[in-house]
DNA sequence: CTGTTAGCGCCTTCAC
DNA sequence: GTGAAGGCGCTAACAG
């Protein structure tokens, strides 16, 4: 990488002259036309790219933080947009100069990504969507260079903004149980996302406590796609083993299920009721056929709180680790009306 | 903002000592426990936050670019996730140290956002989702401090990655016309997004050229929500004025339309065929009821090319402005099968 | 154990 | 019209 020094040497002028010209102040400072064009040409030849760190240092930014936002690149990219939006809104609110750098990582490979990223140049880090493997890495080997806040995860070591995920599962179970739907199933992802297992635990425990334990065979593991849920539900329809109530652990799966029921002539909610966790935009689930009953994860809000907490940690206004719990929003649609 | 100098003065040690301690190398360099804890305490008291620009400058990053990505915060946040993903993938491919900063802006208010953001600290800027107002600002008053690439827009002044949007509309029209669906309508957003008007123009012109002009009354303006499309389509159903074919200019609207047809007993595709532009994740439209025929905008790909072009412009490997055209992907679902 | 010094790349002030 | 010098905040090499 060449610098203005290189250009100055090549052009036979001083560094100051180069700086003036490249910042478009040549005319104002009455630098000769020739000198200017010579400098521009050489800058181009040497492939000059200004060093923004140096510029910034010189400009002495006040209250300027660099925050990294790690996000998984799988099927959940949709909802990450809303997290980012929440984070950005909070940045506006705070009226500070905060640069949010988005860093993608592959689920189960957070470690590699973190090693290749130079985290020492951030003031704070927010991490979303970690798998158990990723949590394991964070909780054991990782040494943070700055405050770290986890999105919807819990850890003994790091701050986080999360939900009472066990209670989410409990609430879904109670909704079904209140309607006498004892033959229930769970449609879930086959990967190990901690929160999904917490939801399921709350759901299963509640059914068991109420005297209607759900068998292992009623837990259906899908790939993380509508297509996979579609296949499984088509099979259930063909076998005639569809339960009376299905708890879908994400709307991605619920979409596949709705489509399977549509194709096989199973009526929702008459034949089977569907309750899901909303991770997509609320609107999408309001206009599915039929519309989905669900508990929406407050993505934007969690993002917002993550950013606020990160700043508070940077400024040492809260102790580390701090944990904040938020509530999910229950929305009753057509797929499972109130009892 | 305090610096290590302030801490050094306060603690009565040199700035080097402070630097060593705060970087966790106290033990290794055998700084006394007391000195260390004194430094930590004072750092906390003075609310010290390291200046990352200075750190970075010192570390002399090579091939390190800062790229800003402006995105609109409206209903399109969903698809912006995929753009970001494409951009990030390209960053990985390039094997350069590129920091992507996401900067949200309100549609029609790009100007204000750009003024409040210090763009002079970026090496390149990518802008998505501009309205006519935003384009106007860019094309007239805006003076870019670095290369600018537009996402799916055209401009005489700036580089861009875009689609042949007129042709997209033509293709939809031809699909309907080949099936003899002459009574067609357009369901579109009431805002002025340039590409939507281009789609519509291609669509309307083709119908007219083929001798089946579409009347003004067949153009339905919605708010940018499924809810709004739902209301309009419910009205059409009630009046019995639903056309035989509907071109939805975004799947957000198509979702509202599908739901309205479901509720009012209008059969798709028997009573009305639906063709849409896919902006959401492809999967969502594969599992609507019925699944949607559509042309998907290659969001990720456009993002990817935007980043590549930005880097090429920074490194002056391509002239400015450069324009690149990409193709949309046609997917035939149940809502409008092949003729 | 701690301090001094030099310099990362850039811009601004002042001097000629 | 142009150049020399100083300094933004930080770290590493070297010196005690």
């Amino acid at each position: 990488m060449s610098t203005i020094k290189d250009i100055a040497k090549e052009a036979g002028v001083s560094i100051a002259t180069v700086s003036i010209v490249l910042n478009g102040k040549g005319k104002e400072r009455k630098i000769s036309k020739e000198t200017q064009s010579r400098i521009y040409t050489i800058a181009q030849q040497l492939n000059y790219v200004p060093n923004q760190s140096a510029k910034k240092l010189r400009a002495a930014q006040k209250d300027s933080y660099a925050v990294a936002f790690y996000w998984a690149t799988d099927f959940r990219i949709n909802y990450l947009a809303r997290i980012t939006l929440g984070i950005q809104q909070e940045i506006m609110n705070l009226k500070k100069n905060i640069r949010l750098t988005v860093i993608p990582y592959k689920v189960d490979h957070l470690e590699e990504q973190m090693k290749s990223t130079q985290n020492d140049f951030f003031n704070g880090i927010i991490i979303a969507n970690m798998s158990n493997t990723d949590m394991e890495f964070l909780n054991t080997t990782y040494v943070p260079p700055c405050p770290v806040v986890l999105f919807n995860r819990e850890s003994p070591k790091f701050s986080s903004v999360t939900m009472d995920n066990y209670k989410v599962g409990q609430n879904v179970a109670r909704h079904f149980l209140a309607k006498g739907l004892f033959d229930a199933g769970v449609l879930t992802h086959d990967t190990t996302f901690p929160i999904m297992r917490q939801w399921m635990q709350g759901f299963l425990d509640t059914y068991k406590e109420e005297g209607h334990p759900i068998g292992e065979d009623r837990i259906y593991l899908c790939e993380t796609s509508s297509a996979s849920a579609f296949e499984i539900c088509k099979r259930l329809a063909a076998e005639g083993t569809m339960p009376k109530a299905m708890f879908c652990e994400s709307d991605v799966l619920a979409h596949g299920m709705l489509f399977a029921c549509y194709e096989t002539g199973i009526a929702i909610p008459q034949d089977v009721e569907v309750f899901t966790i909303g991770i997509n935009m609320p609107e999408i689930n309001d206009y599915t056929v039929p519309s989905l009953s669900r508990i929406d994860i407050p993505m934007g809000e969690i993002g917002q709180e993550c950013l606020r907490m990160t700043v508070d940690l940077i400024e040492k206004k809260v102790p580390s680790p701090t944990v904040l719990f938020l509530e999910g929003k229950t929305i009753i649609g057509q797929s499972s009306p109130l009892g």
Side-chain angles (χ1 to χ4, degrees), chain A residues 22-326:
Chain A
L22 292 182
N23 283 315
K25 295 182 183 165
K27 199 175 277 176
E28 168 185 329
R29 296 289 299 269
K30 296 187 181 158
I31 308 285
S32 71
K33 273 256 181 270
E34 314 154 39
T35 309
Q36 289 202 48
S37 69
R38 189 150 38 96
I39 287 173
Y40 277 121
T41 312
I42 292 171
Q44 186 132 354
Q45 278 169 4
L46 295 183
N47 208 349
Y48 170 73
V49 180
N51 180 320
Q52 304 299 346
S53 301
K55 272 195 160 173
K56 242 175 161 165
L57 175 58
R58 184 62 241 257
Q61 300 263 299
K62 294 290 169 201
D63 258 359
S64 165
Y65 304 146
V67 174
F69 176 41
Y70 280 85
W71 67 328
T73 52
D74 63 8
F75 70 103
R76 289 165 296 174
I77 52 170
N78 255 351
Y79 79 72
L80 279 154
R82 276 182 299 141
I83 303 174
T84 310
L85 198 56
I87 295 177
Q88 293 287 8
Q89 255 156 12
E90 191 60 25
I91 289 177
M92 310 269 225
N93 292 347
L94 291 176
K95 295 198 194 339
K96 306 208 171 191
N97 192 334
I98 299 175
R99 285 284 151 84
L100 185 74
T101 299
V102 177
I103 301 172
Y105 73 93
K106 274 203 196 124
V107 170
D108 290 340
H109 298 267
L110 178 63
E111 181 167 6
E112 297 153 39
Q113 181 58 52
M114 286 211 133
K115 274 176 184 155
S116 76
T117 310
Q118 293 169 322
N119 281 333
D120 12 333
F121 296 126
F122 291 110
N123 297 297
I125 297 177
I126 299 173
I127 313 178
N129 299 328
M130 277 179 293
S131 68
N132 283 337
T133 309
D134 298 326
M135 285 291 301
E136 175 76 15
F137 154 65
L138 230 67
N139 283 329
T140 55
T141 50
Y142 183 59
V143 182
C146 61
V148 171
V149 175
L150 312 184
F151 184 102
N152 210 2
R153 294 289 182 276
E154 285 175 71
S155 152
K157 200 164 139 193
F158 297 100
S159 298
S160 62
V161 180
T162 183
M163 300 169 67
D164 188 338
N165 289 299
Y166 186 85
K167 200 169 126 197
V168 167
Q170 276 186 322
N171 288 343
V172 178
R174 284 186 189 138
H175 171 87
F176 281 156
L177 286 164
K179 308 180 74 175
L181 298 166
F182 303 131
D183 176 22
V186 181
L187 198 59
T188 185
H189 298 261
D190 64 353
T191 46
T192 51
F193 298 129
I195 55 170
M196 292 194 170
R197 292 295 168 264
Q198 288 171 26
W199 294 336
M200 185 152 81
Q201 208 52 54
F203 185 79
L204 296 178
D205 285 357
T206 307
Y207 260 86
K208 191 187 252 173
E209 284 159 18
E210 299 294 320
H212 303 280
I214 293 173
E216 281 286 338
D217 58 320
R218 277 310 202 193
I219 296 170
Y220 307 103
L221 297 181
C222 308
E223 319 255 302
T224 52
S225 70
S226 302
S228 173
F230 172 71
E231 290 304 332
I232 285 179
C233 291
K234 241 181 18 187
R235 184 166 56 69
L236 292 180
E239 297 170 355
T241 54
M242 185 69 81
K244 299 302 290 177
M246 186 73 93
F247 173 30
C248 296
E249 292 208 321
S250 87
D251 46 19
V252 172
L253 303 185
H255 297 156
M257 174 161 180
L258 295 192
F259 198 72
C261 290
Y262 162 70
E263 297 243 307
T264 57
I266 291 181
I268 301 172
Q270 295 83 351
D271 300 334
V272 53
E273 298 209 1
V274 178
F275 204 102
T276 189
I277 304 293
I279 66 172
N280 276 296
M281 294 286 286
E283 242 209 344
I284 284 177
N285 295 318
D286 284 337
Y287 290 92
T288 51
V289 172
S291 63
L292 284 166
S293 291
R294 63 195 187 270
I295 294 177
D296 273 345
I297 302 183
M299 301 290 174
E301 215 184 319
I302 302 183
Q304 213 155 346
E305 294 298 339
C306 279
L307 194 274
R308 183 207 297 274
M309 190 179 284
T310 304
V311 170
D312 282 348
L313 285 165
I314 291 173
E315 298 181 346
K316 286 155 190 131
K317 288 185 182 156
V318 295
S320 177
T322 294
V323 178
L324 179 64
F325 284 91
L326 297 179

